[in-house]
Structures are given as structure tokens and as C-alpha cells.
Amino acid sequence: ALVEEYDAGSRRFDVVAMFQTVDHLLDVGGTLEHIRAWLNPLGVLFLDIVDFRAAYLRNWSVEEAVKIDHPYYLTQGTMTAFLRRAGFETLRVDFAADHLHVSYVCRPSRPQPGAVPSSESLRELIREIRFVQNTKRQ
């Protein structure tokens, strides 16, 4: 079944892992809330994303970083906000060896419905995207 459609019933899990999945979801927030309900109170969620910022910096192009099968382009800031909103505390964050994928280990916590990336981090992201798009790669 698709993760969005899976019904765990009354079962609860100690570990839920989503490998190279989040970027393909149509409802990231709703899916994370759904998964949170599956975890035991001391359970752990592992997931990873392609960090959009790392992808466009590697390619020095936003267009080359875009993938047709990714409805969302997540950064560390947006993924952290999605996790907090859904009720997850991040225990560990690491870049994979490819320097594109970012892994998160999380546990259930109190949802923070108003969690968003900081205004300054968003302004910096937009500045950086404009710089990348307007500067030739050396």
C-alpha cells in the first residue's frame, strides 16, 4: 500500500523508516502526522530527503536540480518545520556520503502547528537561488 493509504489499525511500531520517499509524497505534513500515530511513545522515525539547496549548488542550476517525480523540494529548514508541525523532535541530522541526501532520526514529541523556517533563512535561500541563477559557474 502507499504510505498515505496504509492503515496500521491498532498496531504500533518501535521504528518506522522511509528511505528516499518523502520527496515523492503529495502530502508531506499529513503523511508525517499519519506516521506519528503509528509510533510507540518511545518509537523512532528515520527518513531522508534530497536537500534541494545541496542539489542546486552542486549543479549550479535550479533547473538541473529539479526532478519530475518530486512534488516538493525540501531543504533542511522546511523538513525540520514539517517534522515539528507533525509532532517530531529531531535527534540527529546527517548528510549522506553523496552530500545530497539528508537523514533525520526523530522521536514523537508535542506537535508545534505554527513551526516554520525562519524568515531570515528564507530570505537567504531566495538570495542564494538568485545568485546561482545569475552567476555563471566557474
Side-chain angles (χ1 to χ4, degrees), residues 52-118:
F52 183 60
R53 182 173 179 266
Y56 73 69
L57 289 173
R58 172 181 280 184
N59 296 306
W60 206 253
S61 167
V62 170
E63 290 84 0
E64 288 184 37
V66 170
K67 293 181 162 196
I68 190 87
D69 60 342
H70 286 197
Y72 287 91
Y73 293 91
L74 302 163
T75 62
Q76 290 184 57
T78 55
M79 190 69 244
T80 299
F82 271 119
L83 289 165
R84 288 180 180 157
R85 290 173 81 98
F88 286 101
E89 172 189 5
T90 302
L91 302 175
R92 185 175 175 111
V93 178
D94 278 315
F95 266 95
D98 67 3
H99 303 287
L100 287 176
H101 290 84
V102 181
S103 303
Y104 295 81
V105 177
C106 310
R107 68 175 171 206
S109 66
R110 186 176 34 91
Q112 299 175 31
V116 293
S118 73

Side-chain angles (χ1 to χ4, degrees), residues 5 7 10 18 26 35 40-41 54-55 67 97-99 109 111 115 128:
E5 298 171 356
D7 181 4
S10 61
M18 297 176 64
L26 296 177
I35 289 170
N40 287 319
K67 293 181 162 196
D98 67 3
H99 303 287
S109 66
E128 186 175 76

Side-chain angles (χ1 to χ4, degrees), residues 111-129:
Q112 299 175 31
V116 293
S118 73
S119 296
E120 181 53 36
S121 70
L122 293 174
R123 280 191 293 275
E124 180 58 32
L125 181 68
I126 297 301
R127 275 193 298 270
E128 186 175 76
I129 288 172

